[in-house]
Amino acid sequence: MTVDVVPVALGDRAYEVRIGQGLIARAGAEIAPLLRRPKVAVVTDETVGALHLATLEASLKAQGIAMTALHLPPGEATKGWPQFARCVEWLLEQKVERRDVVVALGGGVVGDLVGFAAAVLRRGVRFVQIPTSLLAQVDSSVGGKTGINTPQGKNLVGAFHQPSLVLADIDVLATLPPRDFLAGYGEVVKYGLLGDAAFFDWLELNAPHLATDAALRQYAVRRSVEMKAEIVVRDETEEGDRALLNLGHTFCHALEKATGYSDRLLHGEGVAIGCALAFELSQRLGLCAQEAPSRLRQHLRGLGMKVDIADIPGELPGPEALLALMGQDKKVVDGQLRFILVRGIGEAFVASDVPGEAVLGLLRDALQGR
Ligand SMILES: NC(=O)c1ccc[n+]([C@@H]2O[C@H](COP(=O)([O-])OP(=O)(O)OC[C@H]3O[C@@H](n4cnc5c(N)ncnc54)[C@H](O)[C@@H]3O)[C@@H](O)[C@H]2O)c1
């Protein structure tokens, strides 16, 4: 099968996202042209490292590239100050220099943390993303947002730092647990919902087969990356259109905070629930027809995904408290909550004048469904 190449046309920070099968086994040859000396530092997590690091190491070795590796604990809790400090100090101990390249091998947690480490190490070194989760392949590895969580909230500390290359090997998704695959699908479906109704139509037909059919999977990853790249090129630092990528995320971030970033709710699951809530809110505000939220919910349910707040196990705070958690989201501008709302499937827009009462009513009803 061919490798798809999606360019991210950001001038002197332009790079390619290469998507295909067997890319980790060829990573040495893909990365070699970037190197000024035959040595890379790889950061991964323990789960991904055990499964895929040997393949990466062999492919680097075949090109005469030496490798050292750091294994972080898997999971969202890793994306905070302690493991960040550990990673930065390890990179310094490995004597990574300004002209060297750091490799992030893993899901969005590793990609975000290592990207941020690369951004601040010696005031910025280059890094390569080898995303291994569906979520990381279609979203977090592309676009240069890097960072960590703090007790105050998610992704509140970070930097824009674009990778020099992204290698999305769709074969590695075979080892991804089904729950994580479905969570990643939350970000895939988001692209159809926010700006490409034809892609949503395609997903309605093909999503049930993505996990087993490599050609369909490759198309879904490519189309998602194309859409992300196009928006990022238009608005790299989120002054405007890039906010559309946050469809469902204001709800998602509040729910993630309320569940303590635990495995009660994975990020992509929160995105799917958040998208369903954003569609419901849009319908309540008279912006879109009832058909749109119903169609979305049916699609997500059909795949066995979480759709409602009621699908989150355990206790949750009340509607007022959830709304307050949304207020802490970094996308608050001058005290006003910005929401991404829709006029229909594929037609998202940024709204800054959403009445708080409407959001509260929606949350109240959603929580009562529990
Ligand atoms: N930077 C951005 O633009 C951006 C965008 C979206 C999400 N994010 C961030 O991404 C993070 C979520 O990413 P994620 O869902 O990839 O989480 P993750 O990195 O925690 O990976 C999910 C789980 O899957 C495991 N895993 C990953 N690849 C595997 C593979 N091939 N085989 C077996 N197991 C594998 C990991 O060890 C982990 O346990 C969140 O922190 C979120 O904030 C960032």
Side-chain angles (χ1 to χ4, degrees):
M1 215 154 73
T2 52
V3 171
D4 288 317
V5 177
V6 181
V8 185
L10 286 170
D12 59 357
R13 283 161 298 109
Y15 57 96
E16 288 184 352
V17 183
R18 299 181 194 149
I19 303 155
Q21 296 188 271
L23 275 173
I24 294 190
R26 291 210 326 255
E30 304 275 343
I31 293 171
L34 297 175
L35 303 182
R36 310 253 163 83
R37 56 175 178 160
K39 184 182 164 191
V40 291
V42 179
V43 183
T44 185
D45 74 28
E46 284 152 10
T47 308
V48 175
L51 292 163
H52 301 294
L53 189 64
T55 311
L56 176 61
E57 184 165 23
S59 81
L60 291 167
K61 207 169 165 193
Q63 300 293 318
I65 302 166
M67 183 202 94
T68 49
L70 173 68
H71 296 70
L72 300 173
E76 187 72 31
T78 289
K79 224 179 90 171
W81 290 115
Q83 295 298 333
F84 175 71
R86 180 178 165 209
C87 176
V88 169
E89 288 177 17
W90 178 82
L91 290 168
L92 290 171
E93 281 159 18
Q94 302 311 304
K95 305 205 168 23
V96 173
E97 294 173 7
R98 237 0 233 293
R99 291 146 62 91
D100 288 333
V101 169
V102 174
V103 176
L105 173 71
V109 164
V110 166
D112 280 12
L113 182 144
V114 176
F116 184 34
V120 298
L121 191 81
R122 299 188 186 280
R123 300 196 178 82
V125 301
R126 290 170 302 151
F127 79 117
V128 171
Q129 291 266 23
I130 306 185
T132 62
S133 68
L134 180 58
L135 181 141
Q137 295 195 350
V138 299
D139 195 355
S140 63
S141 65
V142 181
K145 276 193 185 177
T146 72
I148 56 172
N149 308 324
T150 70
Q152 289 75 20
K154 248 189 90 82
N155 299 328
L156 291 179
V157 175
F160 284 100
H161 187 52
Q162 299 290 344
S164 299
L165 175 66
V166 181
L167 298 175
D169 182 338
I170 59 156
D171 284 343
V172 293
L173 302 180
T175 60
L176 194 64
R179 185 178 172 196
D180 287 294
F181 190 90
L182 270 190
Y185 183 75
E187 300 278 10
V188 175
V189 76
K190 180 191 78 178
Y191 291 108
L193 296 174
L194 74 87
D196 187 349
F199 185 43
F200 184 79
D201 293 345
W202 185 91
L203 288 170
E204 278 185 319
L205 273 181
N206 295 299
H209 314 296
L210 293 184
T212 48
D213 185 317
L216 295 178
R217 193 158 69 242
Q218 183 156 335
Y219 177 74
V221 173
R222 189 189 94 198
R223 183 68 198 120
S224 300
V225 170
E226 279 171 355
M227 287 191 69
K228 175 132 192 197
E230 199 235 313
I231 291 175
V232 166
V233 165
R234 242 172 27 220
D235 177 20
E236 185 181 2
T237 53
E238 202 169 313
E239 309 296 323
D241 271 6
R242 187 167 177 164
L244 295 176
L245 294 169
N246 296 324
L247 177 63
H249 280 62
T250 303
F251 291 111
C252 170
H253 288 168
L255 293 170
E256 279 185 294
K257 182 126 204 283
T259 48
Y261 307 118
S262 68
D263 70 357
R264 280 173 65 195
L265 183 73
L266 303 180
H267 177 72
E269 293 173 337
V271 171
I273 294 173
C275 285
L277 286 168
F279 269 71
E280 174 72 23
L281 181 59
S282 304
Q283 189 265 324
R284 287 182 178 211
L285 293 170
L287 294 163
C288 80
Q290 174 58 53
E291 190 236 342
S294 306
R295 199 174 148 197
L296 170 59
R297 296 171 57 82
Q298 194 184 354
H299 176 60
L300 297 175
R301 274 268 176 257
L303 293 169
M305 294 182 70
K306 290 189 171 71
V307 183
D308 292 310
I309 289 185
D311 297 329
I312 303 169
E315 290 296 308
L316 282 175
E320 286 83 6
L322 272 182
L323 189 66
L325 289 176
M326 287 183 193
Q328 285 172 22
D329 195 279
K330 66 186 179 310
K331 284 171 278 298
V332 175
V333 177
D334 297 334
Q336 286 241 307
L337 259 188
R338 276 205 295 167
F339 273 92
I340 312 304
L341 296 180
V342 292
R343 296 198 173 84
I345 286 171
E347 296 175 76
F349 66 99
V350 183
S352 49
D353 51 356
V354 180
E357 244 335 287
V359 183
L360 209 52
L362 175 74
L363 290 172
R364 207 171 280 133
D365 293 348
L367 284 159
Q368 259 165 18
R370 292 171 64 78

